[in-house]
Amino acid sequence: MIKKFLVLALAASCLGANAQNIMNNPGASHANKFEDLGIILPTPNEYRTASGAPGPKYWQQRADYDITCSLDEKKQVLTGSELVTYYNNSPDVLTYIWLQLDENQHSSINNANYQDATAISKLMPLATLQKMENAKIDNGYGDKILKLTEALNGKALQYTVNKTMMRIELPAALKPGQQFAFKLNWSYKISDRMNGGGRGGYEYFPEDGNYLFTMSQWYPRLCVYSDFQGWQNHQFTGRGEFALTFGNFKVAMTVPADHVVMATGECQNYPLVLSAAQQARWKTAQAAKEPVEVVTLDEAKAAEKNPATATKTWVFKADNVRDFAWGSSRKFIWDAMPTYVEGKKIMCMSAYGKEAYGLYRKYSTKAVAHTIRSYSHFTIPYPYPVAQSIEASNGMEYPMICFNWGRTEKDGTYTETSKNGMLGVIMHEVGHNFFPMIVNSDERQWSWMDEGLNTFCQFLTEQLWDNKFPSKRGPAWNITNYMKLPKDQLEPIMTNSENINDFGSNAYGKPATALNILRETVMGRELFDYAFKEYARRWAFKHPTPADLFRTMEDASAENLGWFWRGWFYGTDPCDISIDSVKHAVYDPSLNLQRRGPKPAGIAPQVPAFDGTFMKRNREDKSIVFEVDRDTTLRDFYWRYDRGIEPYDSTINPALPKVKPATEALNDEEKNKYASMHLYEVAFSNKGGLVMPIILQFTFEDGSTQIERIPAQVWRKNENSVSKVFLTAKKVTSMLLDPLKETADIDESNNTWGNVDAAPSRFALYKLNSANPRNAVPTEKNPMQISTEQKNK
């Protein structure tokens, strides 16, 4: 076989540029950016395997709830009683259990008391001073524990409240495989969510004197006890969200008789709470092609004017969910229609006040259906029977239900920004059904595992809704302003929720962008989608950690992504790749550069410049007899040639083969083929520190373009600078890095190169002569076989 090579007639070899860079920067080319995560990740075990899958002994706890509660609209108080059955599926013996009292977030004396730095400004809000003034006075908010007993015998249980956490002392050790049931009575004052903040509470409408209640984090609920952390009982500060245990729920909610209740799960008693007309509409909605108003706009308006004094009890059930939330108001208009995923019907529904009618009636339920179908395509089929969007001037998610925003102007009109914002928040919050409601990560520890993954899928869903949807998070170019911030304003994605400065960019935007880049630019859609689905499949209804995601993505794709996780999730370096220089060369048939062959006759060969100590000592040790001295027949021509005893001259020694040229000239066909070819050596530097693929677009003289994609691994031997040689059939007039803005490059000013060459260098072509013994493949039978040591010499 004849091997063909290109040689540039330049001062330095193009192909050796990378090696030269390393020699010029000793010790500076590596920061271990391509090493596997190794000990950064937890050691695999029987619960979580090295492949990223649940292990053969994986376990998780379970908690079932039977709750009854009553809403006092006039006093804004919720009173409840819950029967909780806790299953110890762990291999550990438990002597206490922990519950979350999230309502204590609103308490002035039992909140988590995580404070931020403050300063005096020229304009101080009155509310800030009032909050400081009343900081140590009980404001009456937070959970009031009325009674706690064993379910079986009614005996009182001992408990301790520490801010937003409550520890229950078990009367006897709870062994593996056992369960414990208790009853807990409680009440709390519902907070004004619009003025006091928080995820749950009420909104008051002074125009019509009515309330809209969003009841979330409303009941004392079990903390997660896991194999990787034990009890997740970190305090709830209002930012880091939730770690929750799967279980079955039955919830009875007593509310004013004219309220409409939307809740997690399926209602068990519609005939008792809906009118005959509403029940008929609900039946029609089951097979409708368009959303059907179950509770109409006129009915909602009428209820607003004449509040009821009686009550009704709505009963809902939900199985295998991690939480339960509900909304209640006489202002609700309710519409519904089905969508289908792999033949299974999911009822998609929306509830909203007249203030949102112009937007929600047209878009909300259809956006819910679209989101369920889209996420099911990219992850796993939606397993629940219901998905709901509730307009509550909010944005928060729970199993099968979420609270969103999207109101029109008073005259019913809306802006395009309002419409797109509403659609985005609906898709995001409905999407949370998958992350973390099904793929149940620990939000309090790793916010990005649900917010980031969900924002990524939201981006995919928005783009499938409308190819020109103005997505704010996901596209690489939208994260550059954040990534170019000073390092003291940045934290790695792998940072606890409470310690992040720019929460939106760090927990939502950057991980969503990273996954989008991983899909579109690094792995490709087919590999990424398969691996991402595998992660969702493996960890549906389980508690994954970041290591499980990282390992699964590699395990299911055969891609080593340690460099990507290190850079995007564990680091703060931005992407900033620059074009530093361009060299241009063209083929010149008139050049006759020959590759050097064997040394001419009479020239002594090179000898080792370094005489190692062991070599010297062996020579001086007279007891050592070398084999070539013991048996002189071993001293062939090469032994004599290496020592300068005999020259290489076949005219003197006819036994030697005649030396043939190392190279031979190209034939006319080959010359014509490469006569119009161009070589470009482009030098790049990694100014930002984040290793990323190099995407280079050439623009040619005729106006056409061509994109070359170099994988990130090109930086593995020198993370600071590399050069690459490109062969083109046409002359390049300009070059552009990252032409489609795929890599989140923070500085585009160094991404271009124009007027690449006025006077190109010239290069010659040659091909190896297979007839030359130096080009032959060494074999035992080949008399011209050259040892590795001799080649190195």
Side-chain angles (χ1 to χ4, degrees):
M1 179 182 295
I2 294 177
K3 298 181 181 179
K4 299 178 181 179
F5 291 82
L6 303 180
V7 176
L8 284 176
L10 300 173
S13 169
C14 287
L15 301 179
N18 191 46
Q20 189 66 38
N21 286 333
I22 295 176
M23 293 175 63
N24 292 337
N25 299 279
S29 62
H30 275 286
N32 294 322
K33 292 179 180 179
F34 285 91
E35 297 302 316
D36 288 337
L37 294 181
I39 61 173
I40 294 178
L41 299 182
T43 303
N45 52 46
E46 292 179 306
Y47 311 127
R48 296 167 191 272
T49 68
S51 70
K57 293 187 178 181
Y58 175 83
W59 57 268
Q60 62 188 34
Q61 308 291 65
R62 172 182 162 187
D64 293 344
Y65 299 82
D66 189 342
I67 306 174
T68 59
C69 62
S70 178
L71 172 64
D72 188 328
E73 184 177 32
K74 290 184 178 181
K75 296 181 179 179
Q76 295 94 50
V77 171
L78 186 70
T79 303
S81 174
E82 59 190 74
L83 168 63
V84 183
T85 305
Y86 186 69
Y87 298 81
N88 183 14
N89 297 322
S90 80
D92 305 327
V93 175
L94 304 179
T95 58
Y96 52 80
I97 57 177
W98 282 97
L99 273 66
Q100 306 178 60
L101 305 181
D102 301 288
E103 276 301 317
N104 284 358
Q105 173 200 3
H106 303 293
S107 169
S108 56
I109 59 174
N110 283 327
N111 63 75
N113 198 28
Y114 277 38
Q115 300 186 21
D116 291 326
T118 56
I120 297 175
S121 64
K122 290 185 178 180
L123 187 63
M124 295 291 291
L126 176 62
T128 299
L129 298 184
Q130 291 174 336
K131 186 176 181 180
M132 293 170 62
E133 184 180 15
N134 299 322
K136 296 183 179 180
I137 301 174
D138 189 350
N139 61 5
Y141 289 97
D143 283 307
K144 303 295 186 287
I145 304 302
L146 305 177
K147 188 178 181 180
L148 175 62
T149 62
E150 288 187 64
L152 290 178
N153 54 31
K155 290 184 178 180
L157 292 170
Q158 299 298 313
Y159 67 91
T160 300
V161 173
N162 177 23
K163 302 172 185 173
T164 63
M165 293 292 161
M166 174 178 171
R167 186 183 68 236
I168 298 178
E169 309 297 335
L170 298 177
L174 188 63
K175 297 179 181 179
Q178 292 183 334
Q179 62 190 60
F180 177 72
F182 62 91
K183 290 183 178 180
L184 177 60
N185 295 351
W186 45 266
S187 71
Y188 68 86
K189 190 166 108 177
I190 303 170
S191 62
D192 180 350
R193 180 175 53 79
M194 303 305 291
N195 293 313
R199 290 162 172 76
Y202 68 81
E203 178 181 2
Y204 178 66
F205 293 79
E207 299 88 352
D208 52 48
N210 288 291
Y211 292 85
L212 191 160
F213 293 91
T214 53
M215 310 309 294
S216 57
Q217 297 89 248
W218 57 281
Y219 62 98
R221 51 195 185 160
L222 262 296
C223 296
V224 168
Y225 184 77
S226 68
D227 62 282
F228 61 88
Q229 188 172 20
W231 286 108
Q232 168 49 295
N233 53 12
H234 295 174
Q235 296 291 335
F236 177 49
T237 70
R239 171 179 278 188
E241 291 175 347
F242 313 110
L244 297 166
T245 303
F246 283 110
N248 300 329
F249 285 75
K250 179 184 178 183
V251 182
M253 296 148 284
T254 299
V255 299
D258 54 359
H259 273 215
V260 174
V261 173
M262 309 294 287
T264 296
E266 295 179 291
C267 185
Q268 304 297 298
N269 64 335
Y270 277 150
L272 299 179
V273 294
L274 297 180
S275 68
Q278 290 167 346
Q279 290 184 64
R281 295 184 210 124
W282 171 244
K283 184 177 180 180
T284 300
Q286 300 300 307
K289 303 293 185 182
E290 294 287 325
V292 173
E293 287 187 17
V294 179
V295 176
T296 67
L297 173 62
D298 290 340
E299 288 172 333
K301 286 181 176 180
E304 285 181 335
K305 296 175 182 177
N306 300 294
T309 56
T311 62
K312 287 183 179 179
T313 299
W314 298 61
V315 180
F316 280 75
K317 288 185 67 177
D319 290 337
N320 205 15
V321 293
R322 70 172 216 157
D323 200 4
F324 189 102
W326 52 290
S328 182
S329 180
R330 64 178 55 87
K331 294 178 66 66
F332 279 156
I333 301 134
W334 165 23
D335 69 46
M337 65 175 280
T339 193
Y340 297 86
V341 174
E342 296 188 359
K344 178 186 175 182
K345 182 172 78 172
I346 296 103
M347 286 305 296
C348 300
M349 303 188 288
S350 298
Y352 41 92
K354 63 181 185 296
E355 295 79 7
Y357 189 85
L359 274 170
Y360 264 63
R361 181 66 179 89
K362 183 175 183 180
Y363 291 109
S364 179
T365 296
K366 291 184 177 180
V368 172
H370 169 72
T371 303
I372 292 299
R373 293 192 300 269
S374 175
Y375 275 67
S376 295
H377 171 73
F378 290 112
T379 61
I380 60 169
Y382 186 69
Y384 294 130
V386 174
Q388 304 165 75
S389 164
I390 314 301
E391 202 293 317
S393 189
N394 197 359
M396 193 58 204
E397 68 279 357
Y398 303 91
M400 297 185 243
I401 188 171
C402 57
F403 304 110
N404 307 310
W405 61 265
R407 296 176 185 174
T408 66
E409 303 297 327
K410 288 188 177 181
D411 63 359
T413 62
Y414 56 84
T415 65
E416 185 179 28
T417 299
S418 296
K419 181 192 77 171
N420 289 332
M422 175 206 67
L423 289 171
V425 74
I426 290 174
M427 293 177 194
H428 181 89
E429 305 304 348
V430 172
H432 269 304
N433 277 292
F434 295 82
F435 306 101
M437 304 305 155
I438 297 170
V439 182
N440 189 15
S441 58
D442 181 349
E443 298 179 87
R444 191 150 303 170
Q445 182 63 37
W446 302 296
S447 292
W448 69 267
M449 283 199 74
D450 77 292
E451 298 296 357
L453 271 63
N454 183 51
T455 302
F456 164 66
C457 291
Q458 173 195 346
F459 168 68
L460 299 178
T461 300
E462 289 172 344
Q463 296 305 305
L464 291 178
W465 175 272
D466 183 344
N467 192 45
K468 292 187 177 181
F469 192 93
S471 298
K472 296 184 181 300
R473 292 168 173 155
W477 60 84
N478 281 345
I479 199 65
T480 55
N481 285 338
Y482 171 68
M483 295 185 72
K484 68 172 64 170
L485 289 175
K487 289 295 182 72
D488 61 359
Q489 297 181 35
L490 299 171
E491 302 91 6
I493 290 175
M494 290 288 290
T495 300
N496 182 270
S497 305
E498 317 301 342
N499 307 326
I500 299 172
N501 284 318
D502 188 339
F503 190 71
S505 296
N506 187 279
Y508 293 68
K510 188 178 178 182
T513 302
L515 292 174
N516 187 35
I517 291 173
L518 193 60
R519 181 177 189 251
E520 299 291 347
T521 305
V522 177
M523 296 176 68
R525 291 187 176 187
E526 183 177 356
L527 278 178
F528 178 93
D529 290 353
Y530 182 92
F532 194 67
K533 281 185 178 182
E534 180 66 7
Y535 167 71
R537 185 194 66 79
R538 286 177 173 182
W539 291 99
F541 302 104
K542 296 182 177 66
H543 301 292
T545 67
D548 301 317
L549 170 64
F550 298 157
R551 285 169 167 156
T552 295
M553 292 301 293
E554 296 189 18
D555 181 73
S557 68
E559 289 287 335
N560 187 338
L561 299 170
W563 63 273
F564 190 85
W565 311 129
R566 280 180 180 274
W568 278 93
F569 289 81
Y570 288 89
T572 59
D573 285 342
C575 173
D576 181 12
I577 301 173
S578 71
I579 299 177
D580 294 336
S581 64
V582 176
K583 296 177 182 178
H584 179 200
V586 295
Y587 170 50
D588 186 348
S590 66
L591 290 178
N592 186 23
L593 300 178
Q594 291 292 324
R595 188 182 183 192
R596 187 166 56 187
K599 293 186 179 299
I603 302 297
Q606 289 182 331
V607 296
F610 174 72
D611 190 1
T613 301
F614 74 98
M615 299 169 67
K616 181 179 179 182
R617 288 178 178 172
N618 281 351
R619 274 199 315 277
E620 292 174 349
D621 188 343
K622 302 304 180 183
S623 66
I624 295 177
V625 179
F626 299 99
E627 194 63 27
V628 290
D629 294 333
R630 190 192 312 276
D631 183 358
T632 58
T633 62
L634 298 175
R635 298 178 179 180
D636 62 355
F637 161 75
Y638 296 110
W639 185 91
R640 298 189 296 275
Y641 174 76
D642 284 344
R643 287 154 181 79
I645 298 173
E646 183 177 339
Y648 191 105
D649 192 339
S650 57
T651 61
I652 298 175
N653 188 348
L656 294 175
K658 293 182 179 180
V659 177
K660 296 182 178 180
T663 61
E664 61 180 335
L666 273 64
N667 58 42
D668 290 341
E669 181 182 352
E670 292 168 330
K671 287 181 180 181
N672 292 333
K673 178 180 179 181
Y674 292 101
S676 60
M677 292 294 186
H678 299 260
L679 282 183
Y680 294 93
E681 178 193 320
V682 187
F684 307 94
S685 62
N686 180 6
K687 296 183 178 297
L690 179 65
V691 290
M692 287 291 287
I694 297 173
I695 305 171
L696 186 63
Q697 176 178 281
F698 298 109
T699 299
F700 301 105
E701 283 183 313
D702 61 3
S704 62
T705 60
Q706 173 183 319
I707 292 179
E708 294 284 346
R709 294 177 176 270
I710 313 299
Q713 286 78 6
V714 72
W715 302 98
R716 69 192 185 281
K717 295 179 181 177
N718 187 331
E719 296 161 6
N720 302 316
S721 59
V722 296
S723 65
K724 286 294 292 181
V725 176
F726 301 92
L727 175 67
T728 67
K730 294 179 285 188
K731 184 178 180 181
V732 174
T733 57
S734 65
M735 299 182 189
L736 175 63
L737 272 174
D738 196 16
L740 302 178
K741 303 183 188 300
E742 299 176 58
T743 64
D745 194 309
I746 65 169
D747 184 3
E748 296 183 31
S749 67
N750 55 26
N751 287 8
T752 60
W753 195 276
N755 190 25
V756 296
D757 175 10
S761 301
R762 305 284 172 170
F763 70 88
L765 280 172
Y766 72 85
K767 55 186 179 182
L768 289 179
N769 188 346
S770 59
N772 187 288
R774 290 189 61 138
N775 300 330
V777 178
T779 65
E780 291 184 2
K781 296 180 179 180
N782 187 348
M784 292 302 296
Q785 181 175 355
I786 300 173
S787 70
T788 301
E789 183 180 357
Q790 289 170 322
K791 286 182 180 178
N792 291 338
K793 288 181 182 180

